[in-house]
Amino acid sequence: MTVSETALPGVRLIDLDVHEDDRGAFTELWNARDHGHHGLDTTFVQDNLSRSREGVLRGLHFQNPRPQGKLISVLKGEVYDVVVDVRAEADTFGAWAGHALSAENARQLYVPEGYAHGFAVTSGEAIFHYKCTDFYHPEADQTLRWDDSSLGIDWPVEDPVLSDKDATAPTLDEMPREALRFDDVR
């Protein structure tokens, strides 16, 4: 496993070891000891799985209060995964980074608490798995507008398929300030 820092503090790109032979392939998606050696010594309490068709865009989502860190893997297909720093007190507030994640490249992304997250499906179908550091709390659910012009995210899909929640979400400037304060997050 190779773990790389990204331009956003705490966000890490993880290239997993894939063991292939004539039968197929094997990959460890999570190993507390090995991931911990790379600074990912966190506890996960919930696993989520979504299946989406090409052109679907989900996000940008985060929780506050009760923020969630996420370890993301794509089990089938490919997505363009985007992370936005929504910590109002951070030097990188409003900065974003995007990465191609796929079953083929066996790449994971760790998204710490205090970041909004979303993805667009760039293959026929994607099965998307993520481990969370806190449970889902509907009352803490927050959504940031996917096409906020102040962010300038270069999504690789035209006319994405969106949920009503994602289509009508506020921009970063329209978000209540208390939703962007993360007192317990570094």
Side-chain angles (χ1 to χ4, degrees):
M1 155 186 345
T2 304
V3 178
S4 307
E5 295 291 329
T6 66
L8 298 175
V11 177
R12 294 185 183 100
L13 199 57
I14 303 158
D15 289 297
L16 297 172
D17 295 327
V18 179
H19 306 280
E20 295 184 83
D21 62 24
D22 62 340
R23 300 168 297 161
F26 172 83
T27 304
E28 278 187 351
L29 295 180
W30 171 249
N31 181 307
R33 180 194 59 231
D34 294 346
H35 280 76
H37 286 311
H38 291 281
L40 298 170
D41 53 352
T42 188
T43 300
F44 294 105
V45 298
Q46 179 177 322
D47 280 30
N48 298 326
L49 187 69
S50 72
R51 181 175 48 85
S52 304
R53 62 184 171 88
E54 187 169 9
V56 167
L57 191 151
R58 296 182 186 265
L60 300 159
H61 304 147
F62 65 100
Q63 261 188 199
N64 197 18
R66 306 288 305 259
Q68 294 176 313
K70 298 174 182 175
L71 180 64
I72 297 160
S73 302
V74 174
L75 305 179
K76 177 183 178 185
E78 182 175 38
V79 305
Y80 183 69
D81 199 277
V82 172
V83 181
V84 179
D85 192 340
V86 293
R87 301 168 300 150
E89 69 285 353
D91 292 340
T92 52
F93 176 68
W96 68 275
H99 301 277
L101 304 179
S102 69
E104 183 73 23
N105 69 19
R107 183 170 282 163
Q108 291 180 316
L109 189 68
Y110 179 72
V111 180
E113 294 87 352
Y115 287 84
H117 169 262
F119 65 92
V121 179
T122 56
S123 60
E125 179 180 66
I127 297 179
F128 188 90
H129 174 259
Y130 54 107
K131 301 178 85 54
C132 300
T133 60
D134 200 352
F135 299 104
Y136 174 66
H137 296 278
E139 71 282 0
D141 191 30
Q142 307 285 339
T143 304
L144 175 63
R145 189 157 175 91
W146 69 278
D147 63 348
D148 182 342
S149 62
S150 72
L151 299 175
I153 298 171
D154 188 19
W155 293 101
V157 295
E158 290 184 36
D159 301 317
V161 178
L162 302 164
S163 69
D164 290 341
K165 177 177 100 169
D166 293 345
T168 60
T171 65
L172 195 58
D173 288 338
E174 295 168 339
M175 284 292 261
R177 292 296 104 180
E178 62 273 6
L180 304 174
R181 285 194 200 95
F182 293 85
D183 297 328
D184 297 335
V185 175
R186 290 178 237 171

